[in-house]
Amino acid sequence: LFFLGSLIWTGCAAGIVGDLPDRCPVTLNTYGHWRGGNVITQWSSDAENILFSFASLNHPFRWYIASPETGIITPLEAYIRHLQVDNQPQWARWLPTDSAVIFGDGEATYSLNLLTDEVARLVEIENGLWSPDGQQIVFLKGQNGREWRWHIMSADGTGERLLTDRSDILIEGWHPSEPKILLILSGNRENHPDNIGILDVNGGHITQLTDTEYCEFQPRWSPDGRQIAFTTWDKNRDIYVMDADGDNIVNLTNTTPQHEIDFSWSRDGRQIAYTRYHATGIREFSQEIYVMNADGSEQRPLTDTPNEHEFGPVWSPDGKQIAFWSTGQFGEGPGSHWWTLNVMNADGSNRRVLVTFGPTALESDDSYPPP
């Protein structure tokens, strides 16, 4: 979804500890095209740190922890070099209940306490979705590599049970306060589109909420759990909202020929930040970060950089800041792509760059930005 244009430099990034020498901007040799599905940006509950990932075709999937206040960026593996772990972290996310990160190396799940730097081996599963209170884990489990099904157990690894026998679902997120999980009922786009459903954790019952000719994706609970926002994969991609029981579906954006995707609720549930772009061709492609009220009113841009392409807005827990990515291209050829992780105030002011990933051609401060 993300195409590249010319460069507009917007700030100075800190060095990555243990990865590259300190310099501004930080650059990595990242030849190849963007893999947007590998970008995950998460604020810690105290809004003091951001956990993020970056990957391109020729740059391995890496995880980092960034401090927007100090600009210090640290690879996740820098915290765990003392462990006897053969594999690098393949996934990571904040543990909901404290200042800790959970991550998996493909064989087990670990926790990292950022206050004490202690690392503990939690459970012998590759990946999982923690409940908001941190007490339960939903995870995929298969028999001899086949018949993968969703299971659930306590966070200490006890009480494992089959959650549902269906294999055609994708788990999206726990309800903020109730034993329910938002999911996608997977189909194919021609004959049986993806629809949104809810899984009852206690009984395993699945309720389908949508039934349209288009694929729905990116469903996300509102902070109070009373609504679900989502986008549709049709000729005009818009952001919709509906009640938690599937009633009262409303198109919030309803724009043509613009598309809206990649959104994030503010913590108080009053606003939604999202990506808007014009689908009029690669040359004219441009995308910006917008914000609107939760009822779709007062849609307004937070960024205005036609030669950059912003995406992936994520609100900080205190509602004061938004983290997002931008991408562009300097020169010609596969080695001229760059990407930056940015933070700005919720009104779009005070934008600053935390880190830049780009080609080695941009390493010299004298030629960055180019004339």
Side-chain angles (χ1 to χ4, degrees):
L1 293 173
F2 309 113
F3 298 93
L4 306 174
S6 60
L7 176 65
I8 295 179
W9 173 239
T10 56
C12 182
I16 298 179
V17 178
D19 195 5
L20 292 169
D22 287 352
R23 61 177 179 265
C24 176
V26 174
T27 58
L28 295 178
N29 186 9
T30 54
Y31 300 116
H33 297 286
W34 176 248
R35 293 197 299 176
N38 283 345
V39 177
I40 301 175
T41 312
Q42 307 170 43
W43 288 86
S44 60
S45 59
D46 57 11
E48 293 185 359
N49 290 286
I50 296 175
L51 177 68
F52 71 94
S53 64
F54 173 83
S56 68
L57 291 180
N58 292 316
H59 180 72
F61 203 16
R62 300 285 295 277
W63 291 88
Y64 305 89
I65 296 176
S67 168
E69 181 68 24
T70 66
I72 295 175
I73 299 172
T74 308
L76 181 57
E77 56 261 36
Y79 290 95
I80 60 174
R81 289 192 177 122
H82 64 284
L83 292 179
Q84 298 299 316
V85 179
D86 294 331
N87 301 321
Q88 297 291 338
Q90 296 182 8
W91 62 269
R93 62 181 63 96
W94 293 106
L95 191 64
T97 52
D98 52 32
S99 297
V101 173
I102 54 175
F103 64 92
D105 66 350
E107 297 179 358
T109 298
Y110 302 82
S111 67
L112 164 65
N113 190 315
L114 295 183
L115 301 178
T116 64
D117 289 338
E118 294 179 350
V119 178
R121 192 180 182 102
L122 296 181
V123 291
E124 302 299 319
I125 60 172
E126 296 182 6
N127 204 340
L129 181 65
W130 259 248
S131 61
D133 60 7
Q135 299 301 307
Q136 293 179 293
I137 312 169
V138 173
F139 61 99
L140 273 173
K141 182 177 180 181
Q143 300 291 334
N144 299 321
R146 298 181 177 180
E147 299 179 356
W148 291 89
R149 298 292 186 271
W150 290 100
H151 290 66
I152 189 170
M153 67 181 177
S154 299
D156 61 4
T158 63
E160 179 184 329
R161 63 180 174 85
L162 180 68
L163 184 57
T164 176
D165 194 46
R166 292 185 61 166
S167 61
D168 62 337
I169 62 174
L170 302 174
I171 298 295
E172 293 289 332
W174 284 79
H175 188 281
S177 59
E178 299 178 9
K180 300 177 182 178
I181 293 177
L182 194 60
L183 52 83
I184 291 289
L185 301 168
S186 182
N188 64 71
R189 293 178 183 172
E190 293 182 359
N191 302 316
H192 184 70
D194 295 345
N195 284 286
I196 299 171
I198 291 179
L199 171 64
D200 179 7
V201 173
N202 293 330
H205 178 70
I206 294 177
T207 302
Q208 183 172 324
L209 300 182
T210 62
D211 185 12
T212 69
E213 60 180 314
Y214 304 113
C215 290
E216 283 90 24
F217 65 110
Q218 293 183 328
R220 290 162 190 171
W221 296 104
S222 62
D224 61 9
R226 296 181 179 179
Q227 291 182 300
I228 299 169
F230 61 96
T231 56
T232 59
W233 195 271
D234 56 14
K235 62 181 180 180
N236 190 41
R237 296 163 197 168
D238 290 313
I239 299 174
Y240 291 75
V241 70
M242 63 182 172
D243 295 341
D245 60 2
D247 291 340
N248 300 319
I249 297 178
V250 178
N251 187 333
L252 295 180
T253 51
N254 198 22
T255 56
T256 304
Q258 295 134 329
H259 292 337
E260 290 81 27
I261 57 172
D262 213 20
F263 62 89
S264 171
W265 289 90
S266 63
R267 183 58 62 93
D268 60 11
R270 296 180 178 179
Q271 293 181 297
I272 296 175
Y274 58 97
T275 301
R276 171 175 287 176
Y277 68 95
H278 292 264
T280 57
I282 295 177
R283 294 290 181 183
E284 296 76 26
F285 187 101
S286 178
Q287 58 188 41
E288 307 287 349
I289 304 298
Y290 275 67
V291 69
M292 63 181 170
N293 294 335
D295 62 1
S297 63
E298 299 186 26
Q299 299 178 26
R300 57 198 184 278
L302 295 181
T303 62
D304 184 16
T305 50
N307 295 319
E308 282 187 63
H309 308 301
E310 288 87 2
F311 60 96
V314 181
W315 289 86
S316 63
D318 58 13
K320 297 180 180 180
Q321 301 180 90
I322 296 174
F324 63 99
W325 287 84
S326 59
T327 184
Q329 186 169 353
F330 163 51
E332 300 294 334
S336 60
H337 301 167
W338 58 265
W339 304 267
T340 61
L341 175 62
N342 311 266
V343 175
M344 63 182 170
N345 294 341
D347 62 1
S349 63
N350 191 29
R351 174 176 174 173
R352 61 262 191 212
V353 175
L354 292 184
V355 64
T356 299
F357 297 95
T360 53
L362 303 182
E363 289 187 3
S364 170
D365 289 348
D366 295 335
S367 63
Y368 198 96

